[in-house]
Amino acid sequence: MNFFKQVLATIVGLTIFQVISLIMVFVFIGALVASIDEIDTAGSATTTIDSNSLLVVKLNYDIQERNGFAAFDWSNMESFAKEKAGLQSLLEAIAFAKTDDRIRGIFMDLSVMPNGYATIDALRLALKDFKSSGKFILAYGETIDQKSYYLASVADKFYANPEGYLQLTGIGSQLTFFRGLLEDKLDAEVQVFKVGNYKSAVEPFIQDSMSTANREQTAFLLEGVKEDFLNNIAEERGMSPEAFNQILNDLSALEPKSAVELGLLDAVKYFDEVLDELKDLMEIDRSEDIESLTINDYAMATAENANSANKIAVIYAEGNIVDGEGDDTSIGGERFAKEIRKLRNDEDIDAIVLRVNSPGGSALASEVMWRELDLAKAVKPVVVSMGELAASGGYYIACNADKIFAEENTITGSIGVFAMIPNMQSFMNNKLGVTFDEVNLNDHATMNGITGPFTDYEAQVIQRSVDNIYETFTTRVSEGRGMSMESVLEVAGGRVWTGEQALERGLVDEIGNLSDAIVYAASLANLDDYRLKEYPEMKSPFEQLFSEFGLEARQASLKEALGPVYPYYEELQQITLMNGRVQARLPMLIEIY
């Protein structure tokens, strides 16, 4: 009897769940359709821009390379179909606002900024250029992290809440190591094959701390970032870099009042006082409301593309490089190769600009895309623009371009390869009580499994394969950059560089952004006017909906459940996702504070 009750309860529960799910889908579609009604046929939000408007810049989210729709959120369905401005759109919006008579000035609403220094440098330069128009920039925050401070240091006036907090602690990076977890706790071993003393992507899985070579390259990379950081802020605040560095070492500017005394802030103010000052700057009565709009809405409203028969294709290569098709968050070698091949054969496309923001990944997928870009370069200009990351496989696909532009603090280079194959035999035997047996009709038939160590001969074969791929990689760099193999090997070995350091070593041609790369590609193609076409095509909101209920939904749930621990889970997961394939990629979780 109890059994039938349980079965009945299960059936009723499933039925109720299906009905509720169906209702939620209809509610979602209704909200989605309503949201889409607010988007015009060009894809830009129908935002009204009044005269004497204030542009509000709040960048407390992970800025992607290109525009995209916000991730689905049941608690805020209206935001799903609202397009989010990518980096290039934000830069174009700031440039447009410089000469837009309707925009009186910029208010920077500061908090925590999760983006890297290359992205911040690009935005910072755009804001500095905006100031040359004579319009004002006023910045204010309550909890201001170091990256937000760096961005807002260009403001005419910089205020903080009297009881707020400034996270001015200096430049550094922290790496995470899992050897103790894998070997000591789980009895799991990671078998590593690599080329390059500086190829440190494998270290988190086989060591407890950084190698001497990794510490050397990390320190040198951070010195490049720190030099820009100190010099740029010191210049804006009227002090020497040495004096600012001492403030960071002493942790003497964490409280806003102390920061004012040290010259790093102009004053402490409450938000209502800041609003009064903004109204004075805009010459409106303090009893009136300020006409304002966000940088995202402004970017969507002012986006335009020239009406020209000439076309430049901009390919956004963002995320990990993976074999196969990939998705909107990764660079699938097969999918991108098809796109490049199509653009090569399209007579309406006059030039190709490849925007790379990738730590690398599959060496095979990188080679597949390199081949298609090499073929494309033979018939039309191919120019590369490097974003936050263009390292290892990300550099592999860039190295043969007609010209390479990098940001000052782009993380690039990392010319090296490795393979990691887990040996889970002890874990399965000792922790789970699972054993294995096998029948081999050839000597090494089961070597691709993960339940045993490699023999010496098998290890030699794998290492030889890794060596061969490294030779191919360095040859691509040598031929693409016009460098001798000796010169390439001096800067290779897996070592990472900033954009400035890479420029000094011949790995890139010029410091510049995506717009600079587009202008140069147009000059190579002899184009006086042109319009841009972005590739690969992004998913529509409806296509994203179905993705949200699949893999992306599970990832979102894990992120929410694990919180700050999620990046470590993701890093461990990379071992299985690599599936033993040779990788050309950066160390995971390389984050500069």
Short mmCIF file of all heavy atoms in Angstrom, two decimals, residues 134-167:
data_model
loop_
_atom_site.label_atom_id
_atom_site.label_comp_id
_atom_site.label_asym_id
_atom_site.label_seq_id
_atom_site.Cartn_x
_atom_site.Cartn_y
_atom_site.Cartn_z
N GLY A 134 36.25 69.29 -23.11
CA GLY A 134 35.87 70.30 -22.14
C GLY A 134 34.70 69.90 -21.28
O GLY A 134 34.34 70.61 -20.33
N LYS A 135 34.09 68.75 -21.57
CA LYS A 135 32.99 68.25 -20.74
C LYS A 135 33.56 67.62 -19.48
O LYS A 135 34.72 67.20 -19.44
CB LYS A 135 32.17 67.21 -21.52
CG LYS A 135 31.52 67.77 -22.79
CD LYS A 135 30.74 66.70 -23.54
CE LYS A 135 30.10 67.25 -24.79
NZ LYS A 135 29.30 66.24 -25.52
N PHE A 136 32.74 67.57 -18.44
CA PHE A 136 33.24 67.10 -17.15
C PHE A 136 33.08 65.59 -16.97
O PHE A 136 32.22 64.95 -17.57
CB PHE A 136 32.53 67.84 -16.01
CG PHE A 136 31.07 67.48 -15.85
CD1 PHE A 136 30.68 66.35 -15.12
CD2 PHE A 136 30.07 68.25 -16.43
CE1 PHE A 136 29.35 66.01 -14.96
CE2 PHE A 136 28.73 67.92 -16.28
CZ PHE A 136 28.37 66.80 -15.54
N ILE A 137 33.93 65.04 -16.09
CA ILE A 137 33.77 63.68 -15.58
C ILE A 137 33.85 63.76 -14.07
O ILE A 137 34.84 64.25 -13.52
CB ILE A 137 34.86 62.72 -16.10
CG1 ILE A 137 34.84 62.63 -17.62
CG2 ILE A 137 34.68 61.33 -15.49
CD1 ILE A 137 35.92 61.70 -18.19
N LEU A 138 32.82 63.29 -13.41
CA LEU A 138 32.79 63.25 -11.95
C LEU A 138 32.62 61.80 -11.51
O LEU A 138 31.75 61.09 -12.01
CB LEU A 138 31.65 64.12 -11.41
CG LEU A 138 31.63 64.37 -9.89
CD1 LEU A 138 30.96 65.71 -9.60
CD2 LEU A 138 30.88 63.27 -9.15
N ALA A 139 33.47 61.35 -10.58
CA ALA A 139 33.44 59.96 -10.12
C ALA A 139 33.10 59.91 -8.63
O ALA A 139 33.54 60.76 -7.85
CB ALA A 139 34.79 59.29 -10.36
N TYR A 140 32.31 58.89 -8.26
CA TYR A 140 31.91 58.74 -6.86
C TYR A 140 31.67 57.26 -6.57
O TYR A 140 31.18 56.50 -7.42
CB TYR A 140 30.63 59.51 -6.57
CG TYR A 140 30.06 59.24 -5.18
CD1 TYR A 140 30.59 59.86 -4.06
CD2 TYR A 140 28.98 58.37 -5.01
CE1 TYR A 140 30.09 59.62 -2.79
CE2 TYR A 140 28.47 58.12 -3.74
CZ TYR A 140 29.02 58.75 -2.64
OH TYR A 140 28.50 58.50 -1.39
N GLY A 141 32.02 56.85 -5.35
CA GLY A 141 31.75 55.47 -4.96
C GLY A 141 31.73 55.32 -3.46
O GLY A 141 32.18 56.21 -2.71
N GLU A 142 31.20 54.21 -3.02
CA GLU A 142 31.17 53.88 -1.59
C GLU A 142 32.21 52.82 -1.27
O GLU A 142 33.06 53.00 -0.40
CB GLU A 142 29.75 53.43 -1.20
CG GLU A 142 28.74 54.57 -1.35
CD GLU A 142 27.31 54.13 -1.16
OE1 GLU A 142 27.09 52.91 -1.01
OE2 GLU A 142 26.42 54.99 -1.17
N THR A 143 32.17 51.69 -1.97
CA THR A 143 33.23 50.70 -1.90
C THR A 143 33.91 50.67 -3.27
O THR A 143 33.30 50.26 -4.25
CB THR A 143 32.66 49.30 -1.56
OG1 THR A 143 32.03 49.35 -0.29
CG2 THR A 143 33.77 48.27 -1.54
N ILE A 144 35.15 51.11 -3.31
CA ILE A 144 35.85 51.29 -4.57
C ILE A 144 37.05 50.35 -4.61
O ILE A 144 37.97 50.48 -3.80
CB ILE A 144 36.31 52.75 -4.74
CG1 ILE A 144 35.14 53.72 -4.59
CG2 ILE A 144 37.00 52.94 -6.08
CD1 ILE A 144 35.55 55.18 -4.52
N ASP A 145 37.03 49.41 -5.53
CA ASP A 145 38.19 48.52 -5.62
C ASP A 145 39.30 49.19 -6.44
O ASP A 145 39.13 50.26 -7.02
CB ASP A 145 37.80 47.15 -6.17
CG ASP A 145 37.55 47.14 -7.67
OD1 ASP A 145 37.37 48.23 -8.26
OD2 ASP A 145 37.51 46.05 -8.26
N GLN A 146 40.44 48.54 -6.49
CA GLN A 146 41.62 49.14 -7.10
C GLN A 146 41.44 49.40 -8.60
O GLN A 146 41.88 50.43 -9.13
CB GLN A 146 42.82 48.22 -6.87
CG GLN A 146 44.14 48.78 -7.32
CD GLN A 146 45.30 48.05 -6.67
OE1 GLN A 146 45.75 48.46 -5.61
NE2 GLN A 146 45.75 46.97 -7.28
N LYS A 147 40.79 48.48 -9.29
CA LYS A 147 40.60 48.64 -10.73
C LYS A 147 39.63 49.78 -11.03
O LYS A 147 39.83 50.53 -11.99
CB LYS A 147 40.14 47.32 -11.34
CG LYS A 147 41.20 46.23 -11.29
CD LYS A 147 40.69 44.90 -11.81
CE LYS A 147 41.78 43.85 -11.74
NZ LYS A 147 41.30 42.51 -12.19
N SER A 148 38.58 49.90 -10.23
CA SER A 148 37.66 51.02 -10.40
C SER A 148 38.37 52.35 -10.14
O SER A 148 38.15 53.34 -10.84
CB SER A 148 36.46 50.89 -9.45
OG SER A 148 35.61 49.83 -9.86
N TYR A 149 39.23 52.36 -9.12
CA TYR A 149 39.99 53.57 -8.83
C TYR A 149 40.88 53.94 -10.01
O TYR A 149 40.98 55.11 -10.41
CB TYR A 149 40.83 53.41 -7.57
CG TYR A 149 41.58 54.68 -7.23
CD1 TYR A 149 41.03 55.66 -6.41
CD2 TYR A 149 42.84 54.92 -7.77
CE1 TYR A 149 41.70 56.84 -6.14
CE2 TYR A 149 43.53 56.10 -7.51
CZ TYR A 149 42.95 57.05 -6.69
OH TYR A 149 43.62 58.23 -6.44
N TYR A 150 41.55 52.94 -10.57
CA TYR A 150 42.44 53.17 -11.71
C TYR A 150 41.67 53.80 -12.88
O TYR A 150 42.12 54.77 -13.49
CB TYR A 150 43.08 51.86 -12.12
CG TYR A 150 44.05 51.94 -13.27
CD1 TYR A 150 45.00 52.95 -13.35
CD2 TYR A 150 44.04 50.98 -14.28
CE1 TYR A 150 45.91 53.02 -14.40
CE2 TYR A 150 44.94 51.04 -15.33
CZ TYR A 150 45.87 52.06 -15.39
OH TYR A 150 46.76 52.13 -16.43
N LEU A 151 40.50 53.25 -13.16
CA LEU A 151 39.68 53.78 -14.26
C LEU A 151 39.25 55.21 -13.96
O LEU A 151 39.33 56.10 -14.82
CB LEU A 151 38.46 52.89 -14.48
CG LEU A 151 37.48 53.34 -15.56
CD1 LEU A 151 38.14 53.30 -16.93
CD2 LEU A 151 36.23 52.47 -15.55
N ALA A 152 38.79 55.45 -12.74
CA ALA A 152 38.20 56.74 -12.39
C ALA A 152 39.24 57.80 -12.08
O ALA A 152 38.89 58.97 -11.87
CB ALA A 152 37.26 56.57 -11.19
N SER A 153 40.51 57.43 -12.06
CA SER A 153 41.55 58.42 -11.74
C SER A 153 41.63 59.52 -12.80
O SER A 153 42.27 60.55 -12.56
CB SER A 153 42.91 57.72 -11.60
OG SER A 153 43.30 57.10 -12.81
N VAL A 154 40.99 59.33 -13.95
CA VAL A 154 40.99 60.37 -14.99
C VAL A 154 39.94 61.44 -14.73
O VAL A 154 39.91 62.46 -15.43
CB VAL A 154 40.75 59.75 -16.39
CG1 VAL A 154 41.81 58.71 -16.71
CG2 VAL A 154 39.36 59.12 -16.47
N ALA A 155 39.06 61.24 -13.75
CA ALA A 155 37.95 62.16 -13.52
C ALA A 155 38.45 63.54 -13.09
O ALA A 155 39.51 63.68 -12.46
CB ALA A 155 37.01 61.59 -12.47
N ASP A 156 37.65 64.57 -13.41
CA ASP A 156 37.97 65.93 -12.95
C ASP A 156 37.84 66.02 -11.44
O ASP A 156 38.64 66.69 -10.78
CB ASP A 156 37.02 66.93 -13.62
CG ASP A 156 37.16 66.92 -15.14
OD1 ASP A 156 38.20 67.35 -15.63
OD2 ASP A 156 36.22 66.47 -15.82
N LYS A 157 36.80 65.39 -10.92
CA LYS A 157 36.58 65.35 -9.48
C LYS A 157 36.29 63.91 -9.08
O LYS A 157 35.51 63.21 -9.73
CB LYS A 157 35.40 66.24 -9.06
CG LYS A 157 35.64 67.73 -9.30
CD LYS A 157 36.74 68.28 -8.36
CE LYS A 157 36.95 69.78 -8.54
NZ LYS A 157 38.01 70.28 -7.65
N PHE A 158 36.93 63.49 -7.98
CA PHE A 158 36.83 62.11 -7.54
C PHE A 158 36.48 62.12 -6.05
O PHE A 158 37.27 62.56 -5.22
CB PHE A 158 38.17 61.40 -7.77
CG PHE A 158 38.11 59.90 -7.72
CD1 PHE A 158 39.16 59.14 -8.22
CD2 PHE A 158 37.03 59.21 -7.17
CE1 PHE A 158 39.14 57.76 -8.17
CE2 PHE A 158 36.99 57.84 -7.12
CZ PHE A 158 38.05 57.11 -7.62
N TYR A 159 35.26 61.63 -5.73
CA TYR A 159 34.77 61.64 -4.35
C TYR A 159 34.47 60.23 -3.89
O TYR A 159 34.24 59.32 -4.69
CB TYR A 159 33.49 62.48 -4.23
CG TYR A 159 33.61 63.89 -4.74
CD1 TYR A 159 32.65 64.41 -5.63
CD2 TYR A 159 34.64 64.72 -4.34
CE1 TYR A 159 32.74 65.71 -6.10
CE2 TYR A 159 34.73 66.04 -4.80
CZ TYR A 159 33.79 66.52 -5.68
OH TYR A 159 33.88 67.80 -6.15
N ALA A 160 34.41 60.06 -2.56
CA ALA A 160 34.00 58.79 -1.95
C ALA A 160 33.14 59.09 -0.73
O ALA A 160 33.24 60.18 -0.13
CB ALA A 160 35.20 57.95 -1.56
N ASN A 161 32.32 58.11 -0.37
CA ASN A 161 31.52 58.22 0.84
C ASN A 161 32.44 58.33 2.06
O ASN A 161 33.45 57.63 2.13
CB ASN A 161 30.61 57.00 0.97
CG ASN A 161 29.65 57.10 2.13
OD1 ASN A 161 30.04 56.93 3.28
ND2 ASN A 161 28.39 57.36 1.83
N PRO A 162 32.12 59.21 3.02
CA PRO A 162 33.00 59.39 4.19
C PRO A 162 33.32 58.10 4.92
O PRO A 162 34.41 57.95 5.48
CB PRO A 162 32.21 60.36 5.08
CG PRO A 162 31.30 61.09 4.15
CD PRO A 162 30.95 60.12 3.07
N GLU A 163 32.38 57.16 4.96
CA GLU A 163 32.60 55.90 5.66
C GLU A 163 32.84 54.74 4.69
O GLU A 163 32.68 53.58 5.04
CB GLU A 163 31.40 55.58 6.56
CG GLU A 163 31.11 56.64 7.61
CD GLU A 163 32.31 56.92 8.50
OE1 GLU A 163 33.00 55.94 8.87
OE2 GLU A 163 32.56 58.10 8.80
N GLY A 164 33.21 55.08 3.47
CA GLY A 164 33.43 54.05 2.46
C GLY A 164 34.77 53.35 2.61
O GLY A 164 35.43 53.44 3.64
N TYR A 165 35.19 52.66 1.53
CA TYR A 165 36.41 51.86 1.58
C TYR A 165 37.08 51.89 0.21
O TYR A 165 36.42 51.76 -0.83
CB TYR A 165 36.09 50.42 1.98
CG TYR A 165 37.30 49.51 1.99
CD1 TYR A 165 38.23 49.58 3.03
CD2 TYR A 165 37.51 48.58 0.98
CE1 TYR A 165 39.35 48.75 3.05
CE2 TYR A 165 38.61 47.74 1.00
CZ TYR A 165 39.53 47.83 2.04
OH TYR A 165 40.62 47.01 2.06
N LEU A 166 38.40 52.08 0.21
CA LEU A 166 39.20 52.02 -1.02
C LEU A 166 40.13 50.81 -0.93
O LEU A 166 40.88 50.67 0.04
CB LEU A 166 40.04 53.29 -1.20
CG LEU A 166 39.39 54.47 -1.91
CD1 LEU A 166 38.34 55.11 -1.02
CD2 LEU A 166 40.44 55.49 -2.31
N GLN A 167 40.10 49.98 -1.94
CA GLN A 167 40.94 48.78 -1.94
C GLN A 167 42.23 49.07 -2.70
O GLN A 167 42.53 48.50 -3.74
CB GLN A 167 40.19 47.61 -2.58
CG GLN A 167 40.89 46.28 -2.44
CD GLN A 167 40.16 45.17 -3.17
OE1 GLN A 167 38.96 45.28 -3.43
NE2 GLN A 167 40.88 44.13 -3.54
#
